[in-house]
Amino acid sequence: PELLGRHVIDSVELSVLAPNTFGEGPYFTNLSANNNSLVVSVRFGRHTLLWPGDLEVAGEHNLLMSGVDLKADVVKAPHHGSKTSATPASAKATMPAHVIYSTGINNRFNFPHDEVVTRWNAVGAEAWNTGIDGEVTITVTDKEISIKGFRRRQKAAG
């Protein structure tokens, strides 16, 4: 079966959004592995979570140009919050209530980068950082999404 596209499992809709090469093959041969990241959207009820892998600017551009709806309640920041990702256009297209940075404590890359944090703040996303908050747990029900960090109290989102 085709991996790209929409898949329904019970009451969960899983959409594989990228790499969508528009019929040119399984990946973009002229782009890096990061820009060929698997991008997955998970929808349960009225809530959506977006996992864009390690996408960087070129991969984000391709995703935006594909025309798919990228709005999400929770987004895992692409490429750990690297300055090579999360363009203002992609942050605006998603408009999440929450953004999660998957980082390590005092990581050698200094993720997330300040300019990326500023971009997500500009769209009103509350930040969660595994390097600070510890393990981040997301619970999705018909009525709400709640997020908690191992070292941070729970927060409900509509």
Side-chain angles (χ1 to χ4, degrees):
E2 179 70 28
L3 179 62
L4 192 65
R6 183 175 171 262
H7 309 276
V8 178
I9 305 161
D10 294 327
S11 55
V12 175
E13 178 182 311
L14 176 79
S15 295
V16 179
L17 306 175
N20 184 351
T21 59
F22 317 107
E24 298 297 319
Y27 57 90
F28 292 99
T29 57
N30 61 330
L31 295 180
S32 68
N34 283 353
N35 281 310
N36 277 290
S37 285
L38 187 66
V39 178
V40 178
S41 171
V42 180
R43 183 169 182 82
F44 178 74
R46 61 185 178 98
H47 301 291
T48 303
L49 296 85
L50 182 67
W51 258 238
D54 279 344
L55 278 186
E56 295 178 310
V57 173
E60 289 180 8
H61 175 77
N62 286 342
L63 191 58
L64 288 167
M65 297 311 295
S66 75
V68 299
D69 182 7
L70 297 175
K71 293 249 186 284
D73 300 288
V74 179
V75 172
K76 197 269 314 162
H79 202 188
H80 312 278
S82 168
K83 62 186 171 188
T84 62
S85 66
T87 62
S90 66
K92 188 175 180 180
T94 58
M95 294 296 292
H98 299 271
V99 62
I100 300 171
Y101 301 103
S102 178
T103 70
I105 297 172
N106 300 319
N107 66 85
R108 67 184 172 127
F109 300 105
N110 297 313
F111 291 149
H113 291 141
D114 291 341
E115 55 265 52
V116 173
V117 172
T118 299
R119 291 176 199 154
W120 289 112
N121 287 344
V123 297
E126 180 174 357
W128 297 83
N129 184 338
T130 59
I132 297 168
D133 298 313
E135 176 183 300
V136 174
T137 303
I138 305 165
T139 304
V140 182
T141 69
D142 290 339
K143 296 183 175 42
E144 70 178 15
I145 292 177
S146 63
I147 301 177
K148 67 179 180 176
F150 180 74
R151 294 186 283 275
R152 186 167 161 195
R153 65 187 168 103
Q154 187 166 332
K155 176 91 175 199

